[in-house]
Amino acid sequence: MIKSVSLLFLMTLLCAAAAAAFAAPENEKSGARSVILRPLRGVKRVLFLGDSITYAGGYVEEIETYLRLNAPDLHCQLINIGLPSETVSGLTEPNHAGGAFPRPDLHERLERALAKIKPDLVVACYGMNDGIYYPFDTARFAKYQEGIRWLDARVRQSGAKLWLLTPPPFDPQPVRASLLPAGRAEYPSGQTFEGYDTVLAQYSEWLMSQKQKGWNVTDIHTPLNAYLTERRQREPNFVFAGDGVHLNAVGHRLIAREVLRSWGAPDAGLPEAESAALPNPAPDDAIAQVRQGVHEEQRLLTDAWLNDVGHKRPGMAAGVPVKEAEQRAAELDHIILAIASVAPPLFPGSQSDYHGFTRHDFQVDGCKATVVTPHQTIAGRQWIWRAEFFDHRPELDMALLARGFHLVYIEVGNTFGAPSAMKHWDAFYKELTQQYSLNKKPVLEGLSRGGLYIYNWAAANPTKVGVLYGDNPVCDFKSWPGGKGKGPGSPDDWKKLIQDYGFRSEAEALAYRKNPIDNLASLAKAKVPIIHLCGDADEVVPYPENTVILKERYEKLGGEIKVMVKPGFKHHPHGLDDPTPLVEFILAHTSPK
């Protein structure tokens, strides 16, 4: 079965490599990503040891994906032979697994693993099972310490280096009903001591104290608990281990982040904790295809090497012979690296959270630029460009982010879409499409005065626009801020607009013939679809003076425009609580090309 899946997946990756190469910008330079991780210098093989959390492979795959994308010149192989139920202490609770078998002991297989795999670096994560889910006990703790010291000595004797991870936390919340209090003689399988995480905290504290002796140790227990606490402030029922022990994808990404940080990786580009993969990654999404390829390769190697090294845990997959697994893994790796070589570079600058997505802030053309990345990119690397009022009523932006769109914004000051602002927009568009391979036809989003920006830029660049979306948009600056119609206008903004556009007088501004309502021919010729959302009682940007005129003129030119009217609504509030109609229009009119 594995062989047929691998052959099919090889074909998929080959197609993905071709798609990614075709989508890459012409000026993309090979080797643009060049992260240096000092602990991996000169390392050819990294061996991962641990229990079922390691065997699951998530954090190992995230680490390898990061290396393939960000350190292409680092030629090291990651081999994961984590074994479910295993301990480094040699301890097992009475009646483990219902009496089916005792916990496997690393002592039984370590020498064979080191001799067969010949690693340069060993990463080990033990402790979760070593306290056997009982209250803290000095004798059990001593056995854990003894096992860790033995592991350190044996790895050093083999000529490899050891890198230890503290045990991840035990989360009592999802299994509280099955937990038992302190003071019992036994804790049957599946009925853990309610304060077991305090045991793991002591194990972790001891491990971290060994750094003073020169040991390499990464703390995953503390940051995972911190994340859990912070996340539950937003989502009280959030869990990353449904049974309190076995981590989901979020937990594995958090482990990978901490390991990579401890190896010297910059925060930019680290796995995003809250990312959620789309069911069918786009063929031109190089990063998603690399991640899938790494997953296939890791599962192939893990089962093969576990079987080859040998162990005493029943119920494990046999895997294919190591020679066959290594050959097929090499084929996969060659294609993975080919795809990774054309993956767009990571967005620079500072990172922060944006409603559960990762926000990047950096400079472009002397202006503050913002890009929010989706958890997984939609086909064609689509994006929506917010013109003004970033994060005000973000329902549409959030919905498109969830569907794989990027969200972008550039701060050009309150300049009403003036020529100076459009020059910065030109530079930002060039940067995003050429350097970061975003789609050449973005969705432009203009709320209120943002309408001036999106229409002015679109009229000058009609073939570079996928969809225009206006929300109570200004379509004629005589209406707002000029106040020459039924609206009050904004005198201060009107004076500033005249200055920003370089008009010598108000009369010259009033005679201007490139307001959005006057400048639609190029958009109609390019067949740019337009959608507006308007309150018909808008008292600031009067609906009849703006969208009504624009719609009539655009349709006369043969253009496609849809107007959604909110009866009785004024200028505020913008947007829709449920943006589904807007999303559907945008998705129907955007192309992966």
Side-chain angles (χ1 to χ4, degrees):
M1 180 64 181
I2 293 177
K3 183 173 183 178
S4 63
V5 171
S6 293
L7 288 173
L8 176 62
F9 199 79
L10 277 170
M11 294 174 65
T12 303
L13 281 184
L14 282 168
C15 294
F22 181 79
E26 294 180 2
N27 64 343
E28 186 78 25
K29 294 182 179 180
S30 177
R33 301 162 181 262
S34 185
V35 172
I36 298 174
L37 304 178
R38 293 185 184 279
L40 298 184
R41 282 185 173 177
V43 170
K44 299 298 182 185
R45 267 189 174 171
V46 183
L47 170 63
F48 286 82
L49 297 171
D51 49 37
S52 55
I53 296 170
T54 298
Y55 174 76
Y59 76 86
V60 180
E61 293 172 16
E62 290 290 347
I63 290 171
E64 180 165 359
T65 298
Y66 177 89
L67 297 179
R68 293 293 174 262
L69 289 169
N70 297 283
D73 297 330
L74 185 65
H75 303 293
C76 69
Q77 185 183 39
L78 276 57
I79 297 176
N80 171 18
I81 60 167
L83 185 62
S85 310
E86 189 170 69
T87 71
V88 71
S89 61
L91 297 174
T92 187
E93 60 268 51
N95 242 10
H96 171 258
F101 60 91
R103 290 191 176 277
D105 180 359
L106 179 63
H107 290 73
E108 188 276 326
R109 68 187 182 115
L110 179 65
E111 297 296 341
R112 296 193 304 277
L114 295 174
K116 286 175 173 285
I117 297 174
K118 296 179 174 58
D120 303 292
L121 176 66
V122 175
V123 179
C125 182
Y126 288 97
M128 179 63 80
N129 295 332
D130 291 276
I132 63 171
Y133 303 92
Y134 278 48
F136 181 80
D137 175 79
T138 54
R140 281 193 290 270
F141 185 39
K143 290 292 290 182
Y144 176 70
Q145 293 173 311
E146 178 185 319
I148 292 292
R149 292 189 181 105
W150 164 80
L151 172 61
D152 176 65
R154 301 310 297 164
V155 170
R156 290 177 186 273
Q157 288 174 13
S158 75
K161 295 180 180 179
L162 178 64
W163 201 288
L164 293 164
L165 310 183
T166 66
F170 171 79
D171 181 14
Q173 178 166 305
V175 291
R176 199 170 298 282
S178 66
L179 302 180
L180 297 175
R184 295 176 59 94
E186 289 190 7
Y187 292 79
S189 181
Q191 294 183 282
T192 303
F193 164 52
E194 62 185 1
Y196 190 57
D197 194 54
T198 63
V199 177
L200 299 179
Q202 292 182 73
Y203 285 23
S204 299
E205 184 178 353
W206 174 76
L207 274 179
M208 292 302 293
S209 72
Q210 302 308 297
K211 293 182 71 173
Q212 299 176 358
K213 299 179 180 180
W215 286 21
N216 298 309
V217 186
T218 296
D219 182 13
I220 62 174
H221 185 268
T222 303
L224 264 67
N225 261 335
Y227 179 88
L228 196 59
T229 299
E230 185 278 330
R231 183 76 179 265
R232 281 186 177 154
Q233 292 176 357
R234 295 182 275 135
E235 301 174 52
N237 295 322
F238 172 79
V239 297
F240 53 37
D243 61 358
V245 175
H246 298 97
L247 298 168
N248 63 15
V250 172
H252 279 275
R253 292 188 197 104
L254 290 169
I255 294 176
R257 286 173 66 88
E258 296 307 318
V259 173
L260 289 165
R261 274 196 183 114
S262 68
W263 288 352
D267 281 352
L270 289 177
E272 296 181 15
E274 299 181 30
S275 64
L278 296 174
N280 297 302
D284 63 346
D285 186 350
I287 294 175
Q289 296 297 343
V290 167
R291 180 173 281 108
Q292 280 201 350
V294 166
H295 171 74
E296 179 79 5
E297 181 182 9
Q298 277 295 320
R299 295 326 303 169
L300 182 68
L301 290 171
T302 291
D303 290 336
W305 275 111
L306 264 176
N307 184 62
D308 190 75
V309 169
H311 56 80
K312 293 189 175 181
R313 196 210 189 272
M316 301 299 294
V320 300
V322 163
K323 185 175 181 180
E324 179 183 344
E326 289 282 358
Q327 180 181 350
R328 281 157 47 192
E331 294 170 353
L332 276 167
D333 200 53
H334 180 74
I335 300 171
I336 289 168
L337 288 173
I339 298 174
S341 70
V342 296
L346 303 168
F347 290 101
S350 62
Q351 290 188 23
S352 59
D353 176 78
Y354 182 79
H355 302 288
F357 296 90
T358 300
R359 170 176 171 164
H360 307 259
D361 290 295
F362 53 102
Q363 293 285 316
V364 174
D365 201 36
C367 300
K368 180 182 176 182
T370 297
V371 174
V372 182
T373 53
H375 297 319
Q376 186 166 303
T377 304
I378 194 171
R381 294 180 64 78
Q382 305 283 356
W383 48 300
I384 181 167
W385 189 345
R386 173 71 80 105
E388 281 278 38
F389 310 113
F390 186 76
D391 199 37
H392 178 69
R393 292 302 305 261
E395 290 85 357
L396 174 62
D397 298 339
M398 298 296 299
L400 290 176
L401 277 166
R403 286 162 174 78
F405 279 62
H406 287 68
L407 166 64
V408 315
Y409 170 73
I410 185 168
E411 192 173 294
V412 294
N414 181 28
T415 49
F416 312 99
S420 61
M422 297 298 93
K423 289 180 180 179
H424 294 308
W425 273 49
D426 289 339
F428 195 31
Y429 174 87
K430 181 178 180 180
E431 181 88 355
L432 293 176
T433 56
Q434 294 190 10
Q435 181 67 16
Y436 299 103
S437 302
L438 293 190
N439 195 285
K440 295 186 183 300
K441 290 189 174 185
V443 177
L444 305 187
E445 177 184 16
L447 275 66
S448 191
R449 71 189 68 184
L452 294 172
Y453 294 83
I454 66 170
Y455 273 101
N456 289 352
W457 194 82
N461 301 277
T463 61
K464 298 177 181 178
V465 179
V467 175
L468 280 173
Y469 164 55
D471 186 319
N472 287 333
V474 176
C475 304
D476 182 353
F477 60 51
K478 297 190 297 297
S479 174
W480 189 97
K484 305 306 179 182
K486 292 184 178 181
S490 175
D492 288 342
D493 284 313
W494 180 234
K495 290 178 182 178
K496 188 175 187 303
L497 183 146
I498 291 172
Q499 179 182 351
D500 289 340
Y501 273 73
F503 297 133
R504 290 168 292 183
S505 64
E506 182 181 64
E508 185 177 351
L510 294 174
Y512 187 65
R513 289 295 176 263
K514 288 191 177 181
N515 267 291
I517 60 170
D518 306 313
N519 202 20
L520 298 168
S522 64
L523 299 177
K525 182 178 180 180
K527 301 184 183 305
V528 175
I530 298 173
I531 183 169
H532 281 196
L533 177 66
C534 300
D536 62 5
D538 191 331
E539 80 288 11
V540 178
V541 182
Y543 173 60
E545 299 171 10
N546 291 273
T547 291
V548 169
I549 295 174
L550 187 141
K551 180 178 186 295
E552 179 183 353
R553 293 181 179 181
Y554 199 57
E555 288 178 337
K556 283 184 177 179
L557 291 168
E560 177 187 359
I561 179 169
K562 177 179 180 179
V563 177
M564 298 178 61
V565 177
K566 298 189 290 185
F569 275 70
K570 295 185 177 183
H571 192 63
H572 292 284
H574 287 285
L576 295 172
D577 293 337
D578 179 3
T580 299
L582 302 172
V583 172
E584 289 177 347
F585 183 91
I586 289 169
L587 293 179
H589 291 84
T590 48
S591 167
K593 295 181 181 179

